[in-house]
Amino acid sequence: MSNRPSPQSNGMKPSVLGSLMTSENVVRLFFLFWSLIVMVPLLVLFAYSFFETKNFATIYKPTMTTWYSLFDSGRLEVTVRTLRIALTVTLIAFVIAFPFSLWLAKGTRNKTTKAIVLALLTIPFFLDLSSRIIIWRSVLSNTGLINYVFLNLGLTKEPIDWLLYNEWSVHFGMLVTYFPTMVLPIYMAITIIDDSLIAASGDLGASPAQTLFKIIVPLSLPGILTGFILTLGPAIAAWIEPSMLGGGFVNLLSNSVESAYTALKYPVVAALSSFVMLLLGILVVALGLLTRRLGGFGSVFAVLRS
């Protein structure tokens, strides 16, 4: 009999588990799992939007009536307002977050300072959003902290009444809520930029502005895109900020979803939710098209591997 070891004993033949856990199979399993827990419910939600409600009962017969009703009841104006506020909040958050992230990642070398700032940015995620927002009502109201300070310092003779229950307060509340979601991805992208690249740019005679726009911004673009998506998506679907800080005077798509749900119009809820996701998808595609000048998403994210 031969004493040669079998392929299984010396590792020449991969195990069944090893063959199943190849990168290709892992990707397939991931997409299958993702489809089951995310995509399938979304597809069911989209299909449900083609039904209608009559006398508080859902009629399970395909129709476009529910979709037509989205624009027959003044919701087009609500949609435009929602997009305007969401885009404005996202852009303002980016304008503030990018220099802040640059300072946090490269401007400060004190690890304690970084740890404290990152903790302050992440602590709000452990608190209920409604609890974080409702406190601003006592700060921005006519009898709130800001008006109390201004009146006692003699800066104003009467309370400032435009600080609450308008679009300004909704913008402010959403900006406070989604600022961390813009900062953290940009900070992470800037952190992994090699300091030697920035130093080399200066040694070659580049000005700080040239280093910023030709080195830092292109290399941090993955974080910027992630920040835009993580901020814009929740901003479109926001409902706590307009409800608590808008005081019923700033109606967004989320308020329409809530009112339809209260009225038991579930197909309308499904149609509005599908419409919000469609808007977000269009905006994400638009962001993708903007990256074509840099060679597309592949080359944008390839800088992280260089």
Side-chain angles (χ1 to χ4, degrees), residues 2-50:
S2 174
N3 294 325
R4 289 185 301 173
S6 63
Q8 291 84 349
S9 62
N10 60 11
M12 293 178 59
K13 184 177 180 180
S15 63
V16 176
L17 180 61
S19 62
L20 290 176
M21 295 305 293
T22 61
S23 59
E24 184 177 354
N25 288 333
V26 169
V27 172
R28 290 176 179 174
L29 289 174
F30 170 77
F31 277 107
L32 177 61
F33 180 72
W34 180 261
S35 299
L36 290 176
I37 66 173
V38 177
M39 297 305 298
V40 171
L42 291 180
L43 292 175
V44 173
L45 179 71
F46 181 69
Y48 208 83
S49 67
F50 291 98

Side-chain angles (χ1 to χ4, degrees), residues 69-117:
S69 66
L70 295 185
F71 305 99
D72 292 339
S73 55
R75 291 195 177 99
L76 182 59
E77 180 182 355
V78 175
T79 301
V80 174
R81 184 187 302 117
T82 302
L83 288 176
R84 175 169 52 81
I85 292 178
L87 288 172
T88 303
V89 169
T90 303
L91 292 175
I92 294 175
F94 170 71
V95 170
I96 302 174
F98 187 85
F100 179 81
S101 302
L102 181 59
W103 167 80
L104 185 61
K106 300 298 182 182
T108 177
R109 301 297 179 180
N110 193 314
K111 294 183 179 180
T112 302
T113 301
K114 286 187 178 182
I116 293 175
V117 173

Side-chain angles (χ1 to χ4, degrees), residues 169-211:
S169 58
V170 174
H171 278 84
F172 176 79
M174 294 173 67
L175 183 61
V176 172
T177 300
Y178 304 121
F179 180 72
T181 62
M182 180 66 78
V183 169
L184 294 175
I186 299 176
Y187 163 76
M188 294 176 63
I190 297 178
T191 299
I192 63 176
I193 297 177
D194 195 343
D195 291 339
S196 61
L197 294 176
I198 300 176
S201 176
D203 294 339
L204 293 174
S207 64
Q210 289 175 323
T211 301

Side-chain angles (χ1 to χ4, degrees), residues 99-137:
F100 179 81
S101 302
L102 181 59
W103 167 80
L104 185 61
K106 300 298 182 182
T108 177
R109 301 297 179 180
N110 193 314
K111 294 183 179 180
T112 302
T113 301
K114 286 187 178 182
I116 293 175
V117 173
L118 290 174
L120 292 175
L121 288 172
T122 54
I123 284 176
F125 291 107
F126 297 95
L127 302 175
D128 180 64
L129 180 57
S130 58
S131 301
R132 285 185 280 150
I133 293 300
I134 198 171
I135 192 65
W136 289 108
R137 294 173 62 172

